Coordinates of all heavy atoms in Angstrom, one line a residue:
M1 N -14.7 -4.3 -12.8 CA -13.5 -4.8 -12.2 C -12.3 -3.9 -12.5 O -11.5 -3.6 -11.7 CB -13.3 -6.2 -12.5 CG -12.2 -6.9 -11.9 SD -12.5 -7.1 -10.1 CE -11.0 -7.7 -9.6
K2 N -12.2 -3.5 -13.8 CA -11.1 -2.7 -14.2 C -11.1 -1.3 -13.5 O -10.1 -0.8 -13.1 CB -11.1 -2.4 -15.7 CG -10.7 -3.6 -16.4 CD -10.4 -3.3 -17.9 CE -10.1 -4.6 -18.7 NZ -9.8 -4.3 -20.1
R3 N -12.3 -0.8 -13.2 CA -12.4 0.5 -12.5 C -11.9 0.4 -11.1 O -11.3 1.3 -10.6 CB -13.9 0.9 -12.5 CG -14.1 2.3 -11.9 CD -15.5 2.7 -12.0 NE -15.8 3.0 -13.4 CZ -17.0 3.5 -13.8 NH1 -18.0 3.5 -13.0 NH2 -17.2 3.8 -15.1
K4 N -12.2 -0.7 -10.5 CA -11.7 -0.9 -9.1 C -10.2 -1.0 -9.1 O -9.5 -0.4 -8.2 CB -12.3 -2.2 -8.5 CG -13.7 -2.1 -8.2 CD -14.2 -3.3 -7.5 CE -15.8 -3.3 -7.3 NZ -16.2 -4.5 -6.7
I5 N -9.6 -1.7 -10.0 CA -8.1 -1.8 -10.1 C -7.5 -0.4 -10.4 O -6.5 -0.1 -9.7 CB -7.8 -2.8 -11.2 CG1 -8.2 -4.2 -10.7 CG2 -6.2 -2.8 -11.4 CD1 -8.0 -5.3 -11.8
V6 N -8.1 0.3 -11.2 CA -7.6 1.6 -11.6 C -7.7 2.6 -10.3 O -6.7 3.3 -10.0 CB -8.2 2.3 -12.8 CG1 -7.9 3.8 -12.9 CG2 -8.0 1.6 -14.0
F7 N -8.7 2.5 -9.6 CA -8.9 3.2 -8.4 C -7.9 2.9 -7.4 O -7.3 3.7 -6.7 CB -10.3 3.1 -7.9 CG -10.6 3.9 -6.5 CD1 -10.7 5.2 -6.5 CD2 -10.6 3.1 -5.3 CE1 -10.9 5.9 -5.3 CE2 -10.8 3.8 -4.2 CZ -10.9 5.1 -4.1
L8 N -7.6 1.6 -7.2 CA -6.7 1.1 -6.2 C -5.3 1.6 -6.6 O -4.5 2.0 -5.7 CB -6.7 -0.5 -6.1 CG -5.7 -1.1 -5.2 CD1 -6.2 -0.8 -3.8 CD2 -5.6 -2.6 -5.5
I9 N -4.9 1.6 -7.8 CA -3.6 1.9 -8.2 C -3.5 3.5 -8.1 O -2.5 3.9 -7.5 CB -3.3 1.6 -9.7 CG1 -3.1 0.0 -9.8 CG2 -2.0 2.3 -10.2 CD1 -3.0 -0.5 -11.2
F10 N -4.5 4.3 -8.4 CA -4.5 5.7 -8.2 C -4.4 6.1 -6.8 O -3.5 6.9 -6.4 CB -5.7 6.2 -8.8 CG -5.8 7.8 -8.6 CD1 -5.1 8.6 -9.3 CD2 -6.7 8.3 -7.7 CE1 -5.1 10.0 -9.0 CE2 -6.8 9.6 -7.4 CZ -6.1 10.5 -8.2
S11 N -5.2 5.4 -5.9 CA -5.1 5.7 -4.5 C -3.7 5.4 -3.8 O -3.3 6.0 -2.9 CB -6.3 5.0 -3.7 OG -6.1 3.6 -3.8
F12 N -3.1 4.3 -4.3 CA -1.8 3.9 -3.8 C -0.7 5.0 -4.2 O 0.0 5.3 -3.3 CB -1.4 2.6 -4.5 CG 0.0 2.2 -4.1 CD1 0.2 1.6 -2.8 CD2 1.1 2.2 -5.0 CE1 1.5 1.3 -2.4 CE2 2.3 1.9 -4.6 CZ 2.6 1.4 -3.3
F13 N -0.8 5.5 -5.4 CA 0.2 6.5 -5.7 C -0.2 7.9 -5.1 O 0.6 8.7 -5.0 CB 0.3 6.7 -7.2 CG 1.1 5.5 -7.8 CD1 0.5 4.6 -8.7 CD2 2.4 5.3 -7.6 CE1 1.2 3.6 -9.2 CE2 3.1 4.3 -8.1 CZ 2.5 3.3 -8.9
Y14 N -1.5 8.1 -4.8 CA -1.8 9.4 -4.2 C -1.3 9.6 -2.9 O -0.8 10.6 -2.5 CB -3.4 9.5 -4.2 CG -3.9 10.8 -3.7 CD1 -3.8 11.9 -4.4 CD2 -4.5 10.8 -2.4 CE1 -4.3 13.2 -3.9 CE2 -4.9 12.0 -1.9 CZ -4.9 13.1 -2.6 OH -5.3 14.3 -2.1
F15 N -1.4 8.5 -2.0 CA -0.9 8.7 -0.7 C 0.6 8.7 -0.5 O 1.1 9.1 0.5 CB -1.5 7.6 0.3 CG -0.7 6.3 0.3 CD1 0.4 6.1 1.1 CD2 -1.2 5.2 -0.5 CE1 1.1 4.9 1.0 CE2 -0.5 4.0 -0.5 CZ 0.6 3.9 0.3
L16 N 1.3 8.5 -1.5 CA 2.8 8.6 -1.5 C 3.2 10.0 -1.3 O 4.4 10.3 -0.9 CB 3.5 7.9 -2.7 CG 3.4 6.4 -2.8 CD1 4.0 6.0 -4.2 CD2 4.0 5.8 -1.7
E17 N 2.4 10.9 -1.6 CA 2.8 12.4 -1.6 C 2.3 13.0 -0.2 O 2.5 14.2 -0.1 CB 2.0 13.2 -2.7 CG 2.5 12.8 -4.1 CD 4.0 13.1 -4.3 OE1 4.4 14.2 -3.8 OE2 4.6 12.3 -4.9
I18 N 1.8 12.3 0.7 CA 1.3 12.7 2.0 C 2.5 13.0 2.9 O 3.5 12.2 3.0 CB 0.4 11.8 2.6 CG1 -0.9 11.7 1.8 CG2 0.0 12.1 4.0 CD1 -1.9 10.6 2.3
N19 N 2.5 14.1 3.6 CA 3.5 14.3 4.6 C 3.1 13.7 5.9 O 2.0 14.1 6.5 CB 3.7 15.8 4.9 CG 4.4 16.4 3.7 OD1 5.2 15.8 3.0 ND2 4.1 17.7 3.4
A20 N 3.7 12.7 6.4 CA 3.3 11.9 7.5 C 4.1 12.0 8.8 O 4.5 11.1 9.4 CB 3.2 10.4 7.1
Q21 N 4.4 13.3 9.2 CA 5.2 13.4 10.4 C 4.3 13.8 11.6 O 3.3 14.5 11.5 CB 6.1 14.6 10.2 CG 7.2 14.4 9.2 CD 8.0 15.6 9.0 OE1 7.7 16.7 9.4 NE2 9.1 15.5 8.2
C22 N 4.7 13.3 12.7 CA 4.0 13.7 14.0 C 4.5 15.2 14.3 O 5.3 15.7 13.7 CB 4.3 12.8 15.1 SG 6.0 12.9 15.6
A23 N 3.8 15.8 15.2 CA 4.1 17.2 15.6 C 5.5 17.4 16.0 O 6.2 18.4 15.7 CB 3.1 17.7 16.6
M24 N 6.0 16.5 16.9 CA 7.3 16.7 17.4 C 8.4 16.5 16.4 O 9.4 17.2 16.3 CB 7.6 15.7 18.6 CG 6.7 16.1 19.9 SD 7.1 15.1 21.3 CE 8.7 15.6 21.6
C25 N 8.2 15.4 15.5 CA 9.2 15.2 14.4 C 9.2 16.5 13.5 O 10.2 16.9 13.1 CB 8.8 14.0 13.6 SG 8.9 12.5 14.5
R26 N 8.0 17.0 13.2 CA 8.0 18.2 12.4 C 8.8 19.4 12.9 O 9.4 20.1 12.3 CB 6.5 18.5 12.1 CG 6.3 19.8 11.1 CD 5.0 20.0 10.8 NE 4.5 18.8 10.1 CZ 3.9 18.8 8.9 NH1 3.6 19.9 8.4 NH2 3.6 17.7 8.4
A27 N 8.5 19.6 14.2 CA 9.2 20.7 14.9 C 10.7 20.6 14.9 O 11.4 21.6 14.6 CB 8.7 20.9 16.4
V28 N 11.3 19.4 15.1 CA 12.7 19.2 15.1 C 13.2 19.2 13.7 O 14.2 20.0 13.5 CB 12.9 17.8 15.7 CG1 14.4 17.5 15.4 CG2 12.6 17.8 17.2
L29 N 12.5 18.7 12.7 CA 13.1 18.7 11.4 C 12.9 20.1 10.6 O 13.7 20.3 9.8 CB 12.4 17.6 10.6 CG 12.7 16.2 11.1 CD1 11.9 15.1 10.3 CD2 14.2 15.8 10.8
E30 N 12.0 20.9 11.0 CA 11.8 22.2 10.4 C 12.9 23.2 10.9 O 13.1 24.2 10.2 CB 10.4 22.8 10.7 CG 9.3 22.1 9.8 CD 8.0 22.7 10.1 OE1 7.8 23.5 11.1 OE2 7.1 22.4 9.4
S31 N 13.5 22.8 12.0 CA 14.5 23.7 12.5 C 15.9 23.6 11.8 O 16.7 24.5 11.9 CB 14.7 23.5 14.0 OG 15.2 22.2 14.2
E32 N 16.1 22.6 11.0 CA 17.4 22.5 10.3 C 17.3 23.1 9.0 O 16.2 23.4 8.4 CB 17.6 20.9 10.1 CG 16.8 20.2 9.2 CD 17.3 18.8 9.0 OE1 17.5 18.1 10.0 OE2 17.3 18.4 7.8
E33 N 18.5 23.3 8.4 CA 18.6 24.1 7.1 C 18.1 23.3 5.9 O 17.1 23.7 5.3 CB 20.1 24.3 6.9 CG 20.7 25.3 7.9 CD 20.2 26.7 7.6 OE1 20.0 27.1 6.5 OE2 20.0 27.4 8.7
G34 N 18.6 22.1 5.6 CA 18.1 21.3 4.5 C 16.8 20.5 4.8 O 16.7 20.2 6.0
Q35 N 16.1 20.2 3.9 CA 14.9 19.4 4.0 C 15.1 18.0 3.6 O 14.2 17.2 3.6 CB 13.7 20.0 3.3 CG 13.3 21.4 3.8 CD 12.7 21.3 5.3 OE1 12.0 20.4 5.5 NE2 13.1 22.2 6.1
A36 N 16.3 17.6 3.4 CA 16.6 16.2 2.9 C 16.2 15.2 4.1 O 15.6 14.1 3.8 CB 18.0 16.0 2.5
T37 N 16.6 15.5 5.3 CA 16.3 14.6 6.4 C 14.7 14.5 6.6 O 14.2 13.4 6.9 CB 16.8 15.1 7.7 OG1 18.3 15.2 7.4 CG2 16.7 14.1 8.8
A38 N 14.0 15.6 6.5 CA 12.5 15.5 6.6 C 11.9 14.7 5.6 O 10.9 13.9 5.8 CB 12.0 17.0 6.5
E39 N 12.4 14.8 4.2 CA 11.9 14.0 3.2 C 12.2 12.6 3.4 O 11.3 11.7 3.2 CB 12.4 14.4 1.9 CG 12.0 15.8 1.5 CD 12.6 16.3 0.2 OE1 13.4 15.6 -0.4 OE2 12.3 17.5 -0.2
G40 N 13.3 12.2 4.0 CA 13.7 10.9 4.3 C 12.8 10.3 5.4 O 12.3 9.1 5.3
I41 N 12.5 11.1 6.4 CA 11.6 10.6 7.4 C 10.3 10.4 6.9 O 9.6 9.4 7.2 CB 11.5 11.7 8.6 CG1 12.9 11.8 9.3 CG2 10.4 11.4 9.6 CD1 13.3 10.6 10.1
N42 N 9.7 11.3 6.1 CA 8.4 11.1 5.5 C 8.3 9.9 4.6 O 7.3 9.1 4.7 CB 8.1 12.3 4.6 CG 7.5 13.6 5.4 OD1 7.0 13.3 6.5 ND2 7.7 14.7 4.9
D43 N 9.3 9.6 3.9 CA 9.3 8.4 3.0 C 9.3 7.1 3.9 O 8.6 6.2 3.6 CB 10.5 8.4 2.1 CG 10.4 9.5 1.0 OD1 9.4 10.0 0.8 OD2 11.5 9.8 0.5
G44 N 10.0 7.1 4.9 CA 10.2 6.0 5.8 C 8.7 5.8 6.5 O 8.4 4.6 6.7
I45 N 8.2 6.8 6.9 CA 6.9 6.7 7.5 C 5.8 6.2 6.6 O 5.0 5.2 6.9 CB 6.4 8.0 8.1 CG1 7.3 8.4 9.4 CG2 4.9 8.0 8.7 CD1 7.1 9.8 9.9
V46 N 5.8 6.7 5.4 CA 4.8 6.2 4.4 C 5.1 4.7 4.0 O 4.2 3.9 3.9 CB 4.8 7.1 3.2 CG1 4.0 6.5 2.1 CG2 4.3 8.4 3.5
Y47 N 6.4 4.4 3.9 CA 6.7 3.0 3.6 C 6.3 2.1 4.7 O 5.7 1.0 4.4 CB 8.3 2.9 3.5 CG 8.7 1.5 3.3 CD1 8.6 0.8 2.1 CD2 9.4 0.9 4.3 CE1 9.1 -0.5 1.9 CE2 9.9 -0.4 4.1 CZ 9.7 -1.1 3.0 OH 10.2 -2.3 2.7
L48 N 6.5 2.4 5.9 CA 6.0 1.6 7.0 C 4.5 1.5 7.1 O 3.9 0.5 7.6 CB 6.6 2.1 8.4 CG 8.0 1.9 8.6 CD1 8.5 2.6 9.9 CD2 8.4 0.5 8.7
M49 N 3.8 2.5 6.7 CA 2.3 2.6 6.7 C 1.8 1.7 5.5 O 0.8 1.0 5.7 CB 1.9 4.0 6.6 CG 0.3 4.1 6.5 SD -0.2 5.7 6.1 CE 0.1 5.7 4.3
A50 N 2.5 1.6 4.5 CA 2.0 0.9 3.3 C 2.1 -0.6 3.3 O 1.3 -1.3 2.8 CB 2.7 1.4 2.0
I51 N 3.1 -1.1 3.9 CA 3.4 -2.5 4.0 C 2.3 -3.4 4.6 O 1.9 -4.3 3.9 CB 4.8 -2.8 4.6 CG1 5.9 -2.2 3.9 CG2 5.0 -4.3 4.8 CD1 6.0 -2.7 2.4
P52 N 1.7 -3.0 5.7 CA 0.6 -3.9 6.2 C -0.6 -3.9 5.3 O -1.3 -4.9 5.1 CB 0.3 -3.2 7.6 CG 1.4 -2.4 7.9 CD 2.1 -2.1 6.7
Y53 N -0.9 -2.8 4.6 CA -2.0 -2.7 3.7 C -1.8 -3.6 2.5 O -2.6 -4.2 2.0 CB -2.3 -1.3 3.3 CG -2.9 -0.4 4.4 CD1 -2.2 0.5 5.0 CD2 -4.3 -0.6 4.7 CE1 -2.8 1.3 6.0 CE2 -4.8 0.1 5.7 CZ -4.1 1.1 6.4 OH -4.7 1.8 7.4
V54 N -0.6 -3.6 1.9 CA -0.2 -4.4 0.8 C -0.3 -5.9 1.2 O -0.9 -6.7 0.5 CB 1.2 -4.1 0.3 CG1 1.6 -5.1 -0.7 CG2 1.2 -2.7 -0.3
L55 N 0.2 -6.2 2.4 CA 0.1 -7.7 2.9 C -1.3 -8.1 3.0 O -1.7 -9.2 2.6 CB 0.9 -7.8 4.1 CG 2.5 -7.7 4.0 CD1 3.1 -7.8 5.4 CD2 3.0 -8.8 3.1
V56 N -2.1 -7.3 3.7 CA -3.5 -7.7 4.0 C -4.3 -7.8 2.6 O -5.1 -8.7 2.4 CB -4.2 -6.7 4.9 CG1 -5.7 -6.9 5.0 CG2 -3.6 -6.9 6.3
G57 N -4.0 -6.8 1.7 CA -4.6 -6.9 0.4 C -4.3 -8.1 -0.4 O -5.1 -8.7 -1.0
G58 N -3.0 -8.5 -0.3 CA -2.6 -9.7 -1.0 C -3.2 -11.0 -0.5 O -3.6 -11.9 -1.2
I59 N -3.3 -11.1 0.9 CA -3.9 -12.3 1.5 C -5.4 -12.3 1.2 O -5.9 -13.3 0.8 CB -3.7 -12.2 3.0 CG1 -2.2 -12.4 3.3 CG2 -4.6 -13.2 3.7 CD1 -1.8 -12.2 4.8
A60 N -6.1 -11.1 1.2 CA -7.5 -11.1 0.8 C -7.6 -11.5 -0.7 O -8.7 -12.2 -1.0 CB -8.1 -9.7 1.0
Y61 N -6.8 -11.1 -1.5 CA -6.9 -11.4 -3.0 C -6.7 -13.0 -3.2 O -7.4 -13.6 -3.8 CB -5.9 -10.7 -3.8 CG -5.9 -11.1 -5.3 CD1 -6.9 -10.6 -6.1 CD2 -4.9 -11.8 -5.7 CE1 -6.9 -11.0 -7.4 CE2 -4.9 -12.2 -7.1 CZ -5.9 -11.7 -7.9 OH -5.9 -12.1 -9.2
F62 N -5.7 -13.5 -2.4 CA -5.5 -14.9 -2.4 C -6.7 -15.7 -1.9 O -7.0 -16.7 -2.6 CB -4.2 -15.3 -1.6 CG -4.0 -16.7 -1.5 CD1 -3.5 -17.4 -2.6 CD2 -4.2 -17.5 -0.4 CE1 -3.2 -18.8 -2.5 CE2 -4.0 -18.8 -0.3 CZ -3.5 -19.5 -1.4
I63 N -7.3 -15.3 -0.8 CA -8.5 -16.0 -0.3 C -9.7 -15.8 -1.2 O -10.4 -16.8 -1.5 CB -8.8 -15.4 1.1 CG1 -7.7 -15.8 2.1 CG2 -10.2 -15.9 1.5 CD1 -7.9 -15.1 3.4
Y64 N -9.8 -14.7 -1.9 CA -10.9 -14.5 -2.9 C -10.7 -15.5 -4.0 O -11.7 -16.1 -4.5 CB -10.9 -13.0 -3.3 CG -11.8 -12.8 -4.5 CD1 -13.2 -12.7 -4.3 CD2 -11.3 -12.7 -5.8 CE1 -14.0 -12.5 -5.4 CE2 -12.2 -12.4 -6.8 CZ -13.5 -12.4 -6.7 OH -14.3 -12.1 -7.7
K65 N -9.5 -15.5 -4.6 CA -9.2 -16.5 -5.8 C -9.4 -17.9 -5.4 O -9.9 -18.7 -6.1 CB -7.8 -16.2 -6.2 CG -7.7 -14.9 -7.0 CD -8.7 -14.9 -8.3 CE -8.0 -14.6 -9.5 NZ -8.9 -14.6 -10.6
K66 N -9.0 -18.2 -4.2 CA -9.1 -19.6 -3.7 C -10.6 -20.0 -3.6 O -10.9 -21.1 -4.1 CB -8.4 -19.8 -2.3 CG -8.4 -21.1 -1.8 CD -7.3 -21.9 -2.4 CE -7.0 -23.2 -1.6 NZ -6.1 -24.0 -2.3
F67 N -11.4 -19.2 -3.0 CA -12.9 -19.5 -3.0 C -13.6 -19.3 -4.3 O -14.6 -20.1 -4.5 CB -13.5 -18.7 -1.8 CG -13.2 -19.2 -0.4 CD1 -12.4 -18.4 0.4 CD2 -13.7 -20.3 0.0 CE1 -12.1 -18.9 1.7 CE2 -13.4 -20.9 1.3 CZ -12.6 -20.1 2.1
N68 N -13.1 -18.5 -5.1 CA -13.8 -18.3 -6.3 C -13.6 -19.4 -7.2 O -14.4 -19.8 -8.0 CB -13.2 -17.0 -7.0 CG -14.1 -16.5 -8.1 OD1 -15.3 -16.9 -8.2 ND2 -13.6 -15.7 -9.0
T69 N -12.3 -20.1 -7.3 CA -12.1 -21.3 -8.1 C -12.8 -22.5 -7.6 O -13.1 -23.3 -8.4 CB -10.6 -21.5 -8.2 OG1 -10.0 -21.6 -6.9 CG2 -10.0 -20.3 -8.9
L70 N -13.1 -22.5 -6.3 CA -13.7 -23.7 -5.7 C -15.2 -23.8 -6.1 O -15.8 -24.9 -6.3 CB -13.6 -23.7 -4.2 CG -12.3 -24.0 -3.6 CD1 -12.3 -23.9 -2.1 CD2 -11.8 -25.4 -3.9
N71 N -15.8 -22.7 -6.3 CA -17.2 -22.6 -6.7 C -17.5 -23.0 -8.2 O -18.6 -23.2 -8.5 CB -17.8 -21.2 -6.4 CG -17.9 -21.0 -4.9 OD1 -18.0 -21.9 -4.1 ND2 -17.8 -19.8 -4.5
K72 N -16.4 -23.0 -9.0 CA -16.7 -23.2 -10.4 C -16.5 -24.7 -10.7 O -16.0 -25.5 -10.2 CB -15.7 -22.4 -11.2 CG -16.0 -20.9 -11.2 CD -15.1 -20.2 -12.1 CE -15.4 -18.8 -12.1 NZ -14.6 -17.9 -12.9

């Protein structure tokens, strides 16, 4: 069980470094001087991608705990 938790935490922090721009966003943002806007866009995209996974994972954990305590 601890191995699964460590893997989950590692995979969560691993995808935070992914550049998640579409082709058109990348073309527009690469043409500017500073990369601050591009980093902000990447962070926003990753944030929007992560929230549904966290919510579904939390609900799945709650359901698992609910059914696990009923069987004991």
Side-chain angles (χ1 to χ4, degrees):
M1 183 67 183
K2 286 186 180 183
R3 184 176 286 176
K4 289 181 183 179
I5 292 173
V6 170
F7 177 74
L8 180 68
I9 291 171
F10 176 74
S11 63
F12 177 74
F13 287 114
Y14 181 74
F15 82 84
L16 291 177
E17 296 297 323
I18 295 174
N19 291 327
Q21 293 176 351
C22 67
M24 292 186 68
C25 294
R26 181 173 297 229
V28 170
L29 292 173
E30 283 180 351
S31 65
E32 73 176 42
E33 292 289 323
Q35 292 296 318
T37 306
E39 290 176 7
I41 295 290
N42 280 337
D43 292 341
I45 292 170
V46 170
Y47 175 74
L48 288 172
M49 179 189 73
I51 295 300
Y53 288 106
V54 171
L55 290 174
V56 169
I59 292 169
Y61 178 74
F62 176 75
I63 291 171
Y64 171 76
K65 285 301 228 181
K66 185 81 168 171
F67 284 111
N68 195 20
T69 57
L70 290 176
N71 292 331
K72 291 183 178 181

